[in-house]
Amino acid sequence: MNLKAFQKTLLSRRTSRRWVVAFLAGLGFLAGVAGLLAALFPDAAKKQTNWYLWVVIGVPVVWGVLVALPRRHYSRRFSHPDMEISIVVGDLFEQDGHVIIGMSDTFDTETPVIIQRRGIQGQLLTRVYGDDLPKLDQDLQKALHGSTVVATETAANKPAGKRDRYAVGTVAVLGDVDRHFFCVAYTRMGNNNVAQGSVSDLWQSLCAAWEAVRNNGQGDPVSIPVVGSGLARLSSQISRPDLVRLILLSFLTASRAQIVTSHLRIVIHPKDAENMDLRELADFLEAQ
């Protein structure tokens, strides 16, 4: 977190409210303890009045700051099934283990005309495939072998990009046993190459992704970004924090039927984290 983001966090209403609540709770507790000690040891209390005041006021101030400031990592361990879920702020591609990548039903990959370079798909091409677009397309085609093409657009209808369409929820598994990239179709690519999706499509796609991870991931950790957060249509239906909750609920639903992975990480981009209350998400996770 840079200085500007840190200052913004300090001055936010949520942070201020948390600090006040924590400060008052700590002040009340220590005041009670100090009162009890003063009653039990009146002579010592008279000699140490200044010391008592510093402790009663200073400790709650520090405690309030520690409680109010957000962390960049939250985790919860589950025993049934034996697994861990984490919410982390960071770089998706720097996490160990497998990665889930959201794609469209056409599995378009070309940047920057159709796919943005700064997006997750664009980073897959740049950081994993070294901008070797033919290699990525070849691997996708191989991974999609056996998946049903549900429609094929004409060149007149869709002049640019790929034209074969697959069902929402189709998963192309790239990589190898040590590091798979689960590319799941969760949006429909318009003939104008603008992707659109819905909450129901996202839920269906997440369920398909968990099944693919269960079958191919060998229980190793898997990381997923906040899929759908960049889509204008989805952002009008559901907020980023609710997208995280949706991912959590779909994963927990799948895991209670049969374990999916030993460790799921939901990776939030640092810029998105500045506008999200991660503690609320952590509380939601703890409540499950």
Side-chain angles (χ1 to χ4, degrees):
M1 183 183 294
N2 57 38
L3 179 59
K4 186 177 180 180
F6 181 76
Q7 291 171 336
K8 182 179 179 181
T9 301
L10 280 177
L11 297 174
S12 70
R13 291 183 179 180
R14 282 192 290 255
T15 301
S16 299
R17 284 198 299 267
R18 287 199 199 98
W19 182 86
V20 170
V21 171
F23 171 77
L24 292 176
L27 182 64
F29 175 77
L30 287 177
V33 171
L36 178 62
L37 292 176
L40 295 174
F41 309 102
D43 294 336
K46 290 178 182 179
K47 296 178 181 179
Q48 301 294 337
T49 301
N50 292 335
W51 183 82
Y52 273 125
L53 288 175
W54 276 110
V55 171
V56 170
I57 296 175
V59 171
V61 169
V62 176
W63 172 250
V65 170
L66 293 176
V67 169
L69 287 179
R71 301 199 309 268
R72 296 173 66 88
H73 186 284
Y74 296 91
S75 291
R76 182 186 170 189
R77 189 81 200 178
F78 291 80
S79 55
H80 301 290
D82 183 15
M83 64 181 185
E84 183 179 0
I85 300 178
S86 300
I87 301 173
V88 304
V89 178
D91 186 329
L92 177 70
F93 291 93
E94 290 183 356
Q95 312 301 316
D96 67 303
H98 311 303
V99 179
I100 294 175
I101 307 286
M103 287 193 167
S104 69
D105 63 338
T106 55
F107 289 88
D108 273 296
T109 53
E110 185 179 353
T111 62
V113 178
I114 301 174
I115 303 300
Q116 294 181 346
R117 279 191 173 275
R118 68 176 183 271
I120 299 299
Q121 289 177 246
Q123 291 183 58
L124 173 68
L125 173 60
T126 299
R127 299 175 64 177
V128 177
Y129 279 84
D131 284 321
D132 189 343
L133 182 59
K135 173 61 175 172
L136 173 56
D137 283 340
Q138 179 183 356
D139 286 355
L140 280 171
Q141 192 61 41
K142 181 179 179 181
L144 290 168
H145 180 72
S147 298
T148 303
V149 176
V150 297
T152 301
E153 301 292 343
T154 64
N157 289 338
K158 194 174 186 292
K162 298 178 181 179
R163 300 187 178 98
D164 286 341
R165 295 189 180 278
Y166 295 84
V168 168
T170 299
V171 183
V173 184
L174 308 182
D176 54 35
V177 67
D178 293 323
R179 188 168 172 84
H180 282 308
F181 294 90
F182 296 93
C183 301
V184 56
Y186 78 103
T187 62
R188 184 183 187 278
M189 181 65 79
N191 288 343
N192 59 351
N193 288 320
V194 175
Q196 292 186 330
S198 66
V199 175
S200 60
D201 285 346
L202 179 55
W203 179 272
Q204 178 182 341
S205 301
L206 287 170
C207 293
W210 305 138
E211 181 67 19
V213 171
R214 180 187 291 124
N215 293 336
N216 299 275
Q218 297 187 331
D220 293 338
V222 62
S223 299
I224 183 172
V226 186
V227 286
S229 59
L231 287 177
R233 183 177 175 184
L234 263 181
S235 64
S236 66
Q237 302 175 45
I238 184 170
S239 66
R240 280 181 170 83
D242 283 339
L243 282 172
V244 176
R245 294 184 182 96
L246 185 71
I247 294 170
L248 284 169
L249 288 175
S250 67
F251 177 75
L252 288 169
T253 300
S255 297
R256 283 163 182 161
Q258 186 179 354
I259 189 167
V260 174
T261 177
S262 61
H263 189 182
L264 171 69
R265 294 189 200 90
I266 301 176
V267 184
I268 300 174
H269 192 279
K271 288 185 179 179
D272 291 336
E274 293 176 12
N275 300 311
M276 294 172 64
D277 190 342
L278 299 187
R279 285 187 179 273
E280 287 186 0
L281 295 176
D283 291 342
F284 180 82
L285 176 60
E286 288 296 328
Q288 303 309 308

